[in-house]
Amino acid sequence: MEKSDGSCSTQLIDGDGAFNVTGIAKFITEVRLGECGLSYAVVSIMGPQSSGKSTLLNHLFGTNFREMDAFRGRSQTTKGIWLARCAGIEPCTLVMDLEGTDGRERGEDDTAFEKQSALFALAVSDIVLINMWCHDIGREQAANKPLLKTVFQVMMRLFSPRKTTLMFVIRDKTRTPLENLEPVLREDVQKIWDSVPKPHVHKETPLSEFFNVEVVALSSYEEKEEQFKEQVASLRQRFFHSIAPGGLAGDRRGVVPASGFSFSAQQIWKVIKENKDLDLPAHKVMVATVRCEEIAHEKYSSFIANEDWCHLEEAVQSGPVPGFGKKLTSIFYAFLSEYDAEATYFDEGVRSAKRQQLEEKLLQLIQPAFQSVLGHVRLGTLEKFKEVFDKALNGGEGFSLASRNCTRLCMALFDEGCADAVVEHANWDTSKVRDKLRRDIDMHIASVRTAKLSEITTHYEAKLKEALSGPVEALLDGASSETWPAIRKLLRRETEAAVSGFSGALSGFDMDEQTKDSMLQNIENYARGVVEAKAREEAGRVLIRMKDRFSTLFSHDSDSMPRVWTVNEDIRAITKTARSASLKLLSVMVVTRLNDDDNDSIENTLSVALVDSANAAVKDRSITTFDPLASSTWEEVPPSRTLITPVQCKSLWRQFKAETEYSVSQAIAAQEANKRNNNWLPPPWAIVALMVLGFNEFMTLLRNPLYLGVIFVAFLLMKALWVQLDISGEFRHGALPGLISLSSKFLPTVMNLLKRLAEEGQIPAANDPQRNHSLESKSFRNGVSTSSDTSSSTASSEVTSSESSSPSKEG
């Protein structure tokens, strides 16, 4: 690439037809062509070889194309096609210097490149300068005739040619005025146009439809250089603002934007080289497609690497981003605006289609971030709902009212969050996320509702259980005829209180009457179930209860004092009373009676079957009676109310009697023992026999009083031994154990008694009466139980006193 003051040039296509891609890329960058948009023009020049084309361009546009050295003779100086920027002309104007026609270097038969370059010039240029000699005007065999034919022939290969300005530059003008030369030239051009074969659609198309024909004349550069320069300077002025309306190329069509010029030129040359017809409209669309795709791809890549977008994308991974929609919209439309600015001059249809594709790709790129933001907004809204909902419920607000108000509030918050996150014109549907949030809220409400209802139900069930379990157990423990009426009264009172409170607690929940009635019925059923469960529990312990009641009534009197089984106690009557009370308890426990109309004859049945039948069997064992307990159900009592079946009652009663028999037998034994202990006199017949048979001995005692004293002393000794040995107590455990125990205690007791009597006898009785009294007390504390009756103590004292006074008399 060559440079000069204000201008630079490069070879666009070399002499062999190779397109210089690298050179034109550098050239476009150097002259900053991409910034021009549609505000640029392309001028090309064609004409015979060595006709001064390069010289004209250098003087007209300030370029630095290589010129022919006249001193070296006429020869080819420009090979291929060169491209340069005009210096000092606005708008940006590019000039192409084409290789000359009819050059001897290529020969007469090699006209392919000549036609290709002419077609290329017509396809890319807005103004085509046709350099021709003045003396060729009007001549049939002039050098410009093949050139014009070439131009018009290749033009037919363009399906829809651009409106190109053909400026005929007449070189080395003679004295003939231009006004005379121009009509002749235009006539020659028209003849050539008419003679060129044209497609059917353009058979009648005039020349002016495709070309604007301009004619200028310049003096000889070699002979009239100053005049030539003045004329060129005047002509140069016509190229300023050439694309403006009224300018040389003011009515041009199908302009390719400057940023696509390189690619367009390359593709046009490729089609021409392949000797294919050049469809300029399709080419224009193709160029627009490629360039718009490149621009769109560039903007897409730039968007991905954009720092602000990267920060946003990273931020949404951790939480919601305030102003996400506005920030992203700003970035999004900034890049679309850049695309619009760079692609504004390309085909509108292509530009719009590619813009839409870019927009869709960008939206597809940013949609995951948007969905993440929506997810954060949804989760945040859900947490906010849970918070305000719990706060409302804890504040005493009704459940249904709180759920409606909190749902309305949080859905409004979600809508605000969505509006803040939405990218303008994205038309993204947030309804699915909103529906998901609503479902989550509804699920949370349902779970809280279930938990609250369960909590309330559990609370009232616990209250019912506490209010019923203990009292029912106590009532069943004291089973009587009024037990079940009392239980029914208790159940009714507590159930009504619980249902009333429960109904008030349910008033805050928006539920239909059927559901509410069902829940209230469940509470009533629960209360009934508590009583039934407690009754079944107590029925499982009925045998223990029966034995406890029997033991209480049998072993204690009416004052709850332990019974002493004296001869005055009627054990049979007491046993019957205790067993009747136990049977009453059993009859109360066999079935539940929670309904007011629950009347039955179970007690009578049990009495007949267990008591009366037993007595009858004892009286007459030959009588066989019907057993009403030989069944698994009670008559007129449903199984659901049955706690103890008839068969079980019979088994329980049998077991009860067996386990209480021992207590009865023990009581009878105790009464017999008490009777024996309290009856020391012999039978009357024995007393009469003693009186008859012992009359003589009795009379002897009366005649001799000494015998009475001896008998009295012996009685006192025997009484003392009786008390100390506790003979009656020893024989309570049986005769043999009593004899064995007395035999081991008899001798030590006698020796101890004799020893104490001897000690008492050695102390004078009259010396110290107080001491005698003390010794007597001590002697009897050690020898005789203090629990003995008064007579025993007196007898023992008398025995001691007589023994103490005997030595004195003898002495």
Side-chain angles (χ1 to χ4, degrees), residues 11 13 40 60 100 140 162 182 198 268 313 349 380 435 437 443 456 462 477 621-622 686 723-724 787:
Q11 188 176 32
I13 299 171
Y40 78 103
L60 183 60
E140 188 66 26
R162 303 172 52 161
E182 183 174 353
K198 292 181 279 298
I268 288 174
E313 187 178 27
D435 293 342
L437 172 63
M443 287 177 62
I456 295 172
D477 186 30
R621 299 180 179 273
S622 63
V723 171
Q724 285 202 1
S787 63

Side-chain angles (χ1 to χ4, degrees), residues 475 479-487 584:
L475 288 170
S480 66
S481 300
E482 297 300 318
T483 295
W484 283 108
I487 290 176
K584 177 67 176 178

Side-chain angles (χ1 to χ4, degrees), residues 387-519:
E387 178 184 347
V388 298
F389 188 47
D390 291 343
K391 186 175 181 181
L393 292 179
N394 294 333
E397 191 173 349
F399 185 89
S400 298
L401 181 62
S403 63
R404 285 194 298 270
N405 292 341
C406 294
T407 300
R408 188 182 306 111
L409 171 65
C410 291
M411 293 308 295
L413 289 177
F414 176 78
D415 293 337
E416 291 177 5
C418 287
D420 183 63
V422 167
V423 178
E424 292 182 13
H425 307 301
N427 294 326
W428 283 328
D429 184 15
T430 60
S431 62
K432 291 184 179 179
V433 181
R434 194 179 194 277
D435 293 342
K436 178 67 167 62
L437 172 63
R438 187 57 188 264
R439 289 196 300 271
D440 292 342
I441 289 177
D442 291 343
M443 287 177 62
H444 180 71
I445 291 174
S447 65
V448 173
R449 176 191 175 94
T450 302
K452 288 292 183 182
L453 289 175
S454 177
E455 179 182 343
I456 295 172
T457 303
T458 303
H459 171 70
Y460 280 94
E461 287 178 351
K463 287 183 65 176
L464 277 172
K465 188 172 184 179
E466 181 181 0
L468 293 173
S469 295
V472 168
E473 182 176 355
L475 288 170
L476 291 174
D477 186 30
S480 66
S481 300
E482 297 300 318
T483 295
W484 283 108
I487 290 176
R488 288 197 294 269
K489 183 177 180 181
L490 172 68
L491 175 63
R492 188 179 302 111
R493 183 181 69 248
E494 296 298 334
T495 301
E496 288 176 356
V499 167
S500 177
F502 189 58
S503 179
L506 294 181
S507 62
F509 294 85
D510 189 10
M511 61 174 62
D512 56 90
E513 288 299 323
Q514 183 178 0
T515 303
K516 185 175 181 180
D517 293 342
S518 175
M519 296 186 70

Side-chain angles (χ1 to χ4, degrees), residues 418-652:
C418 287
D420 183 63
V422 167
V423 178
E424 292 182 13
H425 307 301
N427 294 326
W428 283 328
D429 184 15
T430 60
S431 62
K432 291 184 179 179
V433 181
R434 194 179 194 277
D435 293 342
K436 178 67 167 62
L437 172 63
R438 187 57 188 264
R439 289 196 300 271
D440 292 342
I441 289 177
D442 291 343
M443 287 177 62
H444 180 71
I445 291 174
S447 65
V448 173
R449 176 191 175 94
T450 302
K452 288 292 183 182
L453 289 175
S454 177
E455 179 182 343
I456 295 172
T457 303
T458 303
H459 171 70
Y460 280 94
E461 287 178 351
K463 287 183 65 176
L464 277 172
K465 188 172 184 179
E466 181 181 0
L468 293 173
S469 295
V472 168
E473 182 176 355
L475 288 170
L476 291 174
D477 186 30
S480 66
S481 300
E482 297 300 318
T483 295
W484 283 108
I487 290 176
R488 288 197 294 269
K489 183 177 180 181
L490 172 68
L491 175 63
R492 188 179 302 111
R493 183 181 69 248
E494 296 298 334
T495 301
E496 288 176 356
V499 167
S500 177
F502 189 58
S503 179
L506 294 181
S507 62
F509 294 85
D510 189 10
M511 61 174 62
D512 56 90
E513 288 299 323
Q514 183 178 0
T515 303
K516 185 175 181 180
D517 293 342
S518 175
M519 296 186 70
L520 295 177
Q521 184 62 44
N522 290 339
I523 283 290
E524 294 179 3
N525 294 340
Y526 178 81
R528 191 182 183 97
V530 169
V531 174
E532 291 178 349
K534 179 55 66 175
R536 292 186 184 280
E537 181 182 342
E538 292 302 313
R541 296 197 293 263
V542 68
L543 181 60
I544 298 174
R545 299 289 190 193
M546 290 169 65
K547 291 191 295 183
D548 289 346
R549 175 167 292 194
F550 177 86
S551 176
T552 300
L553 296 176
F554 185 76
S555 303
H556 296 78
D557 58 18
S558 59
D559 296 328
S560 299
M561 298 297 292
R563 289 186 189 275
V564 178
W565 296 108
T566 64
V567 294
N568 297 323
E569 298 289 346
D570 187 355
I571 295 179
R572 181 179 298 278
I574 294 173
T575 302
K576 184 176 181 179
T577 301
R579 285 180 175 174
S580 297
S582 298
L583 185 65
K584 177 67 176 178
L585 187 147
L586 178 62
S587 67
V588 170
M589 297 295 296
V590 292
V591 295
T592 59
R593 301 173 179 89
L594 296 180
N595 298 323
D596 293 334
D597 56 349
D598 288 343
N599 297 318
D600 52 64
S601 57
I602 292 177
E603 184 177 358
N604 295 332
T605 302
L606 290 176
S607 179
V608 170
L610 300 177
V611 179
D612 297 344
S613 63
N615 295 335
V618 170
K619 292 179 181 178
D620 190 355
R621 299 180 179 273
S622 63
I623 300 176
T624 303
T625 60
F626 170 72
D627 187 359
L629 299 182
S631 174
S632 60
T633 58
W634 296 102
E635 187 178 355
E636 298 181 357
V637 176
S640 60
R641 288 176 49 207
T642 302
L643 301 177
I644 305 172
T645 64
V647 174
Q648 291 173 335
C649 286
K650 188 173 183 179
S651 175
L652 285 170

Side-chain angles (χ1 to χ4, degrees), residues 732-775:
R732 287 175 184 170
H733 302 291
L736 183 60
L739 291 174
I740 295 173
S741 177
L742 289 175
S743 64
S744 62
K745 293 167 59 178
F746 178 76
L747 186 59
T749 303
V750 172
M751 294 300 292
N752 186 40
L753 184 61
L754 293 176
K755 180 180 177 181
R756 290 184 179 281
L757 289 174
E759 291 176 355
E760 292 291 334
Q762 293 176 0
I763 302 173
N767 291 341
D768 191 354
Q770 184 67 29
R771 177 177 176 82
N772 290 340
H773 179 74
S774 176
L775 289 173

Side-chain angles (χ1 to χ4, degrees), residues 279-487:
D279 188 350
L280 284 185
H283 173 77
K284 179 183 177 183
V285 171
M286 184 268 293
V287 173
T289 300
V290 174
R291 279 298 299 145
C292 289
E293 285 181 352
E294 291 177 353
I295 296 171
H297 180 72
E298 178 186 345
K299 298 310 168 188
Y300 182 79
S301 301
S302 300
F303 185 92
I304 294 176
N306 182 264
E307 186 176 351
D308 294 336
W309 158 245
C310 292
H311 287 331
L312 275 180
E313 187 178 27
E314 183 178 356
V316 299
Q317 302 304 319
S318 57
V321 179
F324 175 83
K326 291 182 179 179
K327 294 177 181 178
L328 192 55
T329 299
S330 176
I331 301 172
F332 179 74
Y333 279 101
F335 279 88
L336 288 182
S337 298
E338 292 179 9
Y339 170 86
D340 292 337
E342 294 187 26
T344 186
Y345 301 112
F346 290 101
D347 182 81
E348 182 178 358
V350 175
R351 182 179 72 243
S352 300
K354 298 303 175 183
R355 187 186 193 278
Q356 185 176 357
Q357 291 179 8
L358 172 62
E359 186 174 340
E360 290 174 355
K361 287 181 66 178
L362 290 177
L363 290 177
Q364 187 176 4
L365 174 67
I366 64 180
Q367 190 174 21
F370 172 74
Q371 293 296 334
S372 297
V373 172
L374 283 189
H376 292 309
V377 172
R378 181 182 65 82
L379 292 177
T381 305
L382 182 60
E383 292 301 319
K384 180 67 175 178
F385 173 81
K386 293 179 180 179
E387 178 184 347
V388 298
F389 188 47
D390 291 343
K391 186 175 181 181
L393 292 179
N394 294 333
E397 191 173 349
F399 185 89
S400 298
L401 181 62
S403 63
R404 285 194 298 270
N405 292 341
C406 294
T407 300
R408 188 182 306 111
L409 171 65
C410 291
M411 293 308 295
L413 289 177
F414 176 78
D415 293 337
E416 291 177 5
C418 287
D420 183 63
V422 167
V423 178
E424 292 182 13
H425 307 301
N427 294 326
W428 283 328
D429 184 15
T430 60
S431 62
K432 291 184 179 179
V433 181
R434 194 179 194 277
D435 293 342
K436 178 67 167 62
L437 172 63
R438 187 57 188 264
R439 289 196 300 271
D440 292 342
I441 289 177
D442 291 343
M443 287 177 62
H444 180 71
I445 291 174
S447 65
V448 173
R449 176 191 175 94
T450 302
K452 288 292 183 182
L453 289 175
S454 177
E455 179 182 343
I456 295 172
T457 303
T458 303
H459 171 70
Y460 280 94
E461 287 178 351
K463 287 183 65 176
L464 277 172
K465 188 172 184 179
E466 181 181 0
L468 293 173
S469 295
V472 168
E473 182 176 355
L475 288 170
L476 291 174
D477 186 30
S480 66
S481 300
E482 297 300 318
T483 295
W484 283 108
I487 290 176

